[in-house]
Amino acid sequence: MHILSVKDPAFRKYGRVITNVDFTQLVEEMKKTPVPDGVVYEPGINALEALPVKKELETITYGEMPVQIGYCNGHNSKLNAVEYHRSSEINVAATDAILILGLLADVAEDFTYDTSKMEAFLVPAGTGVEVFATSLHYAPCGVDGQGFQVAIVLPQGTNYPLEGAHQKVEQGKAPSEDALLAATNKWLIGHAEGGLPEGSFLGLVGENLDVSK
């Protein structure tokens, strides 16, 4: 894949580089978090949320909304799925990491999506980016097979287990958006090669993108 920088103008339709928040302490604390062979996501980590940057992000970036700070770490080079939220997500890279991004506006009425429309962007270590709510994204990827550590900031309660009843994906039928809801404030469209849980909507059309190719 051709990989652009988040400083490239092409990134502006997906998000922005955050320049008015100091992420130094967050990056240092992130370096203590595990880097498994696979991918692990934790929506909220006490040691990260105890840092002064949490209040700063709530005040400056999220307009006084309460947030959670967790991480997504590991080894990964593939897209596997896309997700979106009703809110922006902030990614702070403790290591170099690659984000594969698309636009929610390009999802078809039947919730299928062509992966050839996606672009990949390098987030250098120490950089924080806001990924807009209108952007499709999923787990970060490592650079040249290396592991990655990325802090994930979202509105409080996002990505936790659902409590209510929601529609299910029915084989051979176009789903409603409610059937895509995989966790609180998280709608998911998977790839057939993505290894997602049974019952996930597999609406990604085309290649399961791989940043190592």
Side-chain angles (χ1 to χ4, degrees):
M1 290 187 68
H2 182 55
I3 300 170
L4 301 168
S5 166
V6 289
K7 296 180 181 179
D8 190 285
F11 181 68
R12 293 174 61 185
K13 59 180 174 285
Y14 304 110
R16 68 182 180 98
V17 177
I18 298 173
T19 57
N20 60 341
V21 176
D22 185 355
F23 292 114
T24 304
Q25 285 185 307
L26 179 57
V27 168
E28 288 304 308
E29 191 64 34
M30 276 294 299
K31 291 178 180 178
K32 303 174 186 177
T33 57
V35 184
D37 290 336
V39 176
V40 62
Y41 171 70
E42 294 288 348
I45 297 295
N46 290 339
L48 304 180
E49 295 180 345
L51 299 172
V53 72
K54 179 176 183 287
K55 185 65 176 177
E56 192 174 2
L57 286 165
E58 288 176 335
T59 303
I60 295 175
T61 312
Y62 279 94
E64 300 195 3
M65 282 175 45
V67 303
Q68 63 195 33
I69 306 178
Y71 62 73
C72 188
N73 292 357
H75 289 77
N76 178 49
S77 66
K78 294 183 177 181
L79 174 63
N80 293 326
V82 298
E83 68 181 25
Y84 59 93
H85 312 292
R86 295 288 190 248
S87 51
S88 289
E89 173 178 311
I90 293 173
N91 291 181
V92 182
T95 62
D96 288 350
I98 296 168
L99 300 179
I100 306 176
L101 303 174
L103 293 175
L104 180 58
D106 288 333
V107 174
E109 289 186 5
D110 63 357
F111 295 102
T112 57
Y113 176 78
D114 185 347
T115 62
S116 68
K117 297 181 178 182
M118 304 194 84
E119 297 181 278
F121 296 89
L122 173 66
V123 187
T127 304
V129 297
E130 176 184 355
V131 177
F132 297 150
T134 49
S135 296
L136 303 171
H137 61 281
Y138 202 50
C141 297
V143 176
D144 296 330
Q146 299 299 306
F148 62 87
Q149 294 168 301
V150 178
I152 308 293
V153 185
L154 282 159
Q156 198 171 84
T158 299
N159 283 334
Y160 283 92
L162 296 168
E163 296 181 0
H166 295 272
Q167 294 185 20
K168 304 295 183 183
V169 174
E170 295 184 47
Q171 190 69 27
K173 291 186 178 180
S176 68
E177 188 184 40
D178 190 52
L180 274 56
L181 192 64
T184 51
N185 191 26
K186 174 182 176 175
W187 290 263
L188 184 70
I189 304 173
H191 194 281
E193 300 172 2
L196 269 65
E198 187 176 352
S200 300
F201 175 59
L202 304 180
L204 293 187
V205 178
E207 185 180 352
N208 187 22
L209 301 177
D210 190 330
V211 299
S212 67
K213 295 182 178 179

